[in-house]
């Protein structure tokens, strides 16, 4: 039979799901999805779910987007894949040129990989290798902020700081310096800059103390996504760029989750008016269709690897599917839609609607914070509103919200005690209102109030 139960059983016999305790599925059903259209996913029994998190933050222009579909289909008839070492193709050239025009000025060289974690590995290795080629091998350490997340491979885990992901593998990780994050949790928006300034003192002190051994600083601009959607103001990035320059340390911006309009500008770092030495991009770059990532960097860094073969200065990093033509075609279609339809400008009204719908949740007795940046909003449940004491993670309050939302036809997947929305940009005002109602109900179910 072609029903949910059959697919669930077949799944549990053969699959091991990511970021999942598989024993949960003894009582928590796997949800088999048959199709998607716009913001909606549909299972094998015809029930629909609003994809409130863009299927792990990737699907910005809706499922089964006709323009992206057609671009991929056209490319499929021409070239599906070719090695990118010593060979090239039209989509990857056009995409690289396009990204060079869109990104902060000076990031004119694109190095491709196939997922976000891989992009982080590229940037870390490239930064270390740059200093090695410059005769500064002692500059080999990295500096970051607490509560960050940059992926699941070992280098990416090393510069992350979300305990549930990193603690088990601690003995395998790089020795990374970490300073307090600048997030404004529990504070009114007008106090975020003051809080960030206080936190930046720790960053400045670490740069002063360790600058001679540091290759780079790495941060997620504006939003620490997997760290609970904690947010901070763009001024921190401005101070960080100036301090890195002063201490001769490179700067890596991980915009894997926040690039391509999610924060209200094409790239989050635009709001600070600064350019990193390495800009890491993935997720939404293909509209959620195919795996692709890119590290963009400068002429100066590119030149540090450009030499005769015998010097062994080349960056010998590779992935089999680097610059895949189908993925590049999807990315080009995504950029076409973002630009032709002025999507980021249109999102401003939707962001305002999200704020209007979620702002009343601040009054809930077990909501410690409601924060928003662009098309991302987070509602953090707490045990005590006055002290901001969190619920014990073992109570799994977020799971209760998830289960209620699914029963109502919305796919909310909280991060611990943090309910968040990161919807496709094609969401309508009516669908935003629906999410608001489901979220309010979920809070009532999870907190008993």
């Amino acid at each position: 039979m072609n029903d949910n139960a059959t697919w669930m059983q077949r799944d549990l016999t053969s699959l091991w799901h990511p970021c999942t305790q598989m024993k949960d599925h003894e009582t928590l059903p796997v949800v088999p999805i048959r199709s998607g259209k716009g913001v909606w996913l549909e299972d094998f029994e015809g029930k629909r779910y609003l994809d409130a998190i863009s299927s792990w933050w990737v699907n910005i222009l809706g499922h089964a987007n006709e323009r992206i579909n057609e671009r991929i289909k056209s490319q499929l008839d021409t070239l599906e894949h070719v090695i990118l070492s010593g060979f090239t193709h039209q989509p990857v050239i056009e995409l690289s040129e396009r990204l060079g025009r869109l990104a902060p000025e000076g990031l004119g060289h694109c190095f491709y990989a196939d997922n976000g974690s891989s992009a982080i590995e590229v940037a870390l290795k490239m930064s270390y290798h740059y200093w090695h080629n410059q005769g500064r091998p002692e500059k080999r350490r990295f500096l970051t902020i607490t509560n960050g997340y940059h992926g699941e491979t070992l280098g990416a885990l090393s510069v992350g700081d979300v305990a549930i992901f990193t603690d088990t593998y601690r003995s395998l990780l790089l020795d990374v310096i970490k300073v307090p994050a600048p997030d404004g949790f529990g504070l009114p928006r007008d106090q975020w800059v003051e809080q960030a300034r206080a936190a930046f003192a720790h960053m400045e002190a670490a740069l002063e103390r360790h600058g001679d051994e540091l290759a780079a600083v790495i941060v997620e601009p504006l939003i620490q996504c997997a760290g609970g959607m904690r947010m901070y103001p763009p001024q921190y990035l401005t101070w960080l760029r100036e301090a890195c320059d002063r201490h001769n340390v490179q700067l890596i911006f991980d915009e894997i989750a926040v690039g391509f309009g999610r924060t209200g500008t094409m790239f989050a770092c635009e709001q600070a008016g600064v350019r990193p030495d390495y800009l890491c991009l993935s997720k939404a770059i293909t509209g959620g269709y195919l795996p692709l990532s890119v590290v963009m960097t400068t002429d100066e860094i590119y030149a540090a690897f450009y030499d005769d073969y015998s010097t062994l200065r080349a960056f010998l990093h590779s992935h089999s599917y680097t610059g895949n033509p189908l993925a590049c075609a999807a990315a080009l279609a995504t950029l076409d839609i973002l630009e032709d339809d002025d999507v980021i400008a249109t999102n401003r009204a939707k962001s305002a609607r999200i704020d209007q719908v979620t702002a009343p949740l601040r009054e809930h007795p077990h909501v410690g914070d409601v924060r928003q940046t662009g098309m991302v909003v987070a509602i953090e449940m707490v045990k005590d509103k006055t002290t901001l004491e969190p619920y014990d993670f073992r109570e799994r309050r977020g799971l209760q919200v998830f289960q209620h939302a699914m029963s109502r036809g919305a796919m909310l997947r909280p991060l611990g005690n943090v309910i968040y929305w990161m919807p496709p940009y094609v969401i309508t005002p009516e669908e935003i209102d629906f999410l608001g109602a489901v979220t309010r109900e979920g809070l009532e179910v999870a907190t008993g109030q």
Side-chain angles (χ1 to χ4, degrees), residues 175-189:
D175 180 19
V176 172
I177 302 162
K178 297 172 184 177
V179 297
D183 78 80
F185 171 57
L187 296 174
R189 189 93 185 199

Side-chain angles (χ1 to χ4, degrees), residues 107 123-124 127 130-131 142-145 200 203 207 214-221 232 234 236-245 247-254 269 272-280 295-298 301:
L107 296 173
L124 297 176
S127 178
Y130 168 86
W131 291 114
F142 296 93
L143 170 60
T144 188
I145 57 179
F200 188 75
M203 175 65 74
L207 285 166
L214 286 174
V217 174
I218 178 170
V219 297
E220 303 159 90
Y232 64 92
Y236 189 91
L237 302 176
T238 306
W239 306 328
L240 182 56
R241 174 74 276 181
E242 186 277 330
C244 284
D245 289 343
H247 292 284
N248 197 27
V249 174
Q250 292 184 330
L251 182 55
I252 303 168
F253 282 167
D254 172 357
C269 62
V274 297
R275 184 204 74 193
D277 299 292
Y278 307 90
L279 180 62
C280 299
V295 177
M296 303 186 68
T297 193
T298 64
I301 292 167

Side-chain angles (χ1 to χ4, degrees), residues 156-201:
L157 274 179
S158 296
V159 292
D161 189 53
V162 179
I164 195 170
F165 299 117
T166 60
D167 278 1
T168 300
Y169 310 103
R170 185 72 60 192
S171 65
L172 300 177
L173 304 183
L174 301 173
D175 180 19
V176 172
I177 302 162
K178 297 172 184 177
V179 297
D183 78 80
F185 171 57
L187 296 174
R189 189 93 185 199
D190 61 7
Q191 294 181 27
W192 281 17
V193 175
E194 180 182 356
Q195 164 68 15
R197 174 62 83 179
F200 188 75

Side-chain angles (χ1 to χ4, degrees), residues 35-273:
S35 63
K37 185 64 180 176
V39 300
W40 295 94
L41 298 166
E42 184 174 311
D43 68 19
F44 282 83
E45 295 175 354
K47 184 170 182 178
R48 298 202 308 160
Y49 309 91
L50 197 156
D51 186 356
I53 64 164
S54 299
S55 287
W56 257 344
W57 322 339
V58 299
N59 189 283
I60 58 173
L61 299 173
H63 298 280
N65 184 289
E66 293 179 4
R67 291 167 68 179
I68 303 176
N69 289 355
E70 289 304 313
R71 189 67 172 262
I72 294 172
K73 290 174 184 176
S74 176
Q75 182 60 44
L76 187 61
D77 289 333
T78 305
L79 178 67
E80 81 298 337
H81 187 62
V82 65
I83 184 174
L84 205 62
S85 178
F87 293 80
T88 192
H89 54 83
Q90 182 177 340
V92 78
I93 295 168
E94 291 181 350
L95 179 59
S96 302
E97 292 172 340
R98 192 88 165 267
L99 290 171
R101 292 192 296 269
L102 289 171
E105 186 176 357
L107 296 173
H109 298 278
C110 293
F111 192 100
Y112 289 91
D114 47 22
N115 63 76
S117 295
S118 295
I120 298 300
E121 300 289 339
V122 167
L124 297 176
K125 287 177 64 179
M126 196 177 281
S127 178
Y128 166 78
H129 199 161
Y130 168 86
W131 291 114
H132 184 275
N133 284 355
Q134 297 292 89
R136 298 289 306 277
E138 73 279 7
K139 290 177 75 65
R140 56 182 301 275
R141 298 186 72 189
F142 296 93
L143 170 60
T144 188
I145 57 179
T146 55
N147 196 50
Y149 175 88
H150 300 283
E152 300 289 352
T153 49
L154 289 178
L157 274 179
S158 296
V159 292
D161 189 53
V162 179
I164 195 170
F165 299 117
T166 60
D167 278 1
T168 300
Y169 310 103
R170 185 72 60 192
S171 65
L172 300 177
L173 304 183
L174 301 173
D175 180 19
V176 172
I177 302 162
K178 297 172 184 177
V179 297
D183 78 80
F185 171 57
L187 296 174
R189 189 93 185 199
D190 61 7
Q191 294 181 27
W192 281 17
V193 175
E194 180 182 356
Q195 164 68 15
R197 174 62 83 179
F200 188 75
H202 297 280
M203 175 65 74
E204 179 71 59
L207 285 166
E208 179 70 34
R209 180 178 178 183
H210 299 284
D212 288 343
E213 61 177 330
L214 286 174
V217 174
I218 178 170
V219 297
E220 303 159 90
L222 303 188
I223 308 176
Q224 295 184 293
C225 294
M229 299 296 165
R230 293 290 179 90
M231 302 177 186
Y232 64 92
Q235 287 89 339
Y236 189 91
L237 302 176
T238 306
W239 306 328
L240 182 56
R241 174 74 276 181
E242 186 277 330
C244 284
D245 289 343
R246 184 159 30 87
H247 292 284
N248 197 27
V249 174
Q250 292 184 330
L251 182 55
I252 303 168
F253 282 167
D254 172 357
E255 294 221 15
I256 289 161
V258 298
F260 302 100
R262 185 57 76 179
T263 66
T265 48
M266 181 64 80
F267 302 111
C269 62
E270 293 175 38
Q271 297 180 39

Side-chain angles (χ1 to χ4, degrees), residues 359-379:
L361 299 177
R362 290 187 173 91
E363 305 307 315
H364 189 280
H366 289 287
V367 169
D369 199 17
V370 177
R371 49 190 178 269
Q372 182 180 355
T373 297
M375 292 289 285
V376 182
V377 67
I379 303 101

